[in-house]
């Protein structure tokens, strides 16, 4: 059974930093698609940063230069380092792994309905 457990969320002031972690059991990140998505109240879930099965990283324009995605394959943990946080980054952040059978992964633009597995989410709140 696949389980993705996020941690590291919290409340920070604008300009601050947070590091999210996603620990997987029953699933190996290495060689598979993975990433971080977020959903703000009243908005659709959107991709933030992803790592494709070939190891290439893809980051949404809205967070480029501020967020960095990485993975520790030995520990099977996915990270999202978030710097220079803005109030508009406030959202529930979800770890995503794999894609549904027959679906195509297209980096951070992958539609959420194509994602295979989700974590329970971790809240990030940025105050001005």
């Amino acid at each position: 059974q696949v389980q993705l457990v996020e941690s590291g969320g919290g409340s920070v002031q604008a300009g601050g930093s947070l590091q999210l972690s996603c620990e997987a059991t029953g699933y190996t990140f290495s060689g598979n698609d993975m990433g971080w998505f977020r959903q703000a109240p009243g908005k659709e879930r959107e991709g933030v940063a992803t790592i494709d099965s070939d190891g290439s990283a893809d980051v949404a324009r809205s967070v480029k230069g501020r967020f960095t995605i990485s993975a520790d394959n030995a520990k099977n943990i996915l990270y999202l380092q978030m710097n220079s946080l803005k109030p508009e980054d406030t959202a529930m952040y979800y770890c995503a792994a794999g894609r549904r059978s027959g679906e195509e992964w297209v980096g951070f633009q992958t539609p959420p309905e194509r994602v295979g597995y989700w974590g329970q989410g971790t809240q990030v709140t940025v105050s001005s």
Side-chain angles (χ1 to χ4, degrees), residues 1-7 21-27 29 33-40 44-50 78 92-100 103 105 107-122:
Q1 185 177 358
V2 176
Q3 280 193 317
L4 304 175
V5 180
E6 301 100 332
S7 61
S21 300
C22 173
E23 188 167 357
T25 55
Y27 186 89
F29 282 133
D33 302 308
M34 59 189 122
W36 291 95
F37 288 63
R38 67 186 181 186
Q39 187 167 17
E44 294 186 351
R45 192 170 297 190
E46 61 176 3
V48 176
T50 58
L78 182 68
M92 186 72 79
Y93 283 71
Y94 296 92
C95 178
R99 49 190 167 84
R100 293 182 179 272
E103 297 286 2
W105 185 270
F108 73 88
Q109 299 181 77
T110 300
E113 59 268 25
R114 294 187 186 179
V115 173
Y117 302 100
W118 293 101
Q120 81 288 351
T122 185

Side-chain angles (χ1 to χ4, degrees), residues 3-118:
Q3 280 193 317
L4 304 175
V5 180
E6 301 100 332
S7 61
S11 297
V12 296
Q13 290 193 326
S17 298
L18 285 173
Q19 185 183 59
L20 305 184
S21 300
C22 173
E23 188 167 357
T25 55
Y27 186 89
T28 301
F29 282 133
S30 180
N32 288 299
D33 302 308
M34 59 189 122
W36 291 95
F37 288 63
R38 67 186 181 186
Q39 187 167 17
K43 294 189 176 182
E44 294 186 351
R45 192 170 297 190
E46 61 176 3
V48 176
T50 58
I51 298 178
D52 292 357
S53 57
D54 64 2
S56 58
D58 195 19
V59 181
R61 280 182 288 277
S62 60
V63 303
K64 200 163 191 175
R66 300 188 297 120
F67 290 11
T68 303
I69 187 171
S70 62
D72 185 329
N73 291 330
K75 295 181 179 179
N76 211 29
I77 298 176
L78 182 68
Y79 299 101
L80 183 67
Q81 178 65 43
M82 305 185 295
N83 299 327
S84 302
L85 282 160
K86 303 176 181 180
E88 51 263 43
D89 294 319
T90 295
M92 186 72 79
Y93 283 71
Y94 296 92
C95 178
R99 49 190 167 84
R100 293 182 179 272
S101 179
E103 297 286 2
E104 181 182 5
W105 185 270
V106 286
F108 73 88
Q109 299 181 77
T110 300
E113 59 268 25
R114 294 187 186 179
V115 173
Y117 302 100
W118 293 101

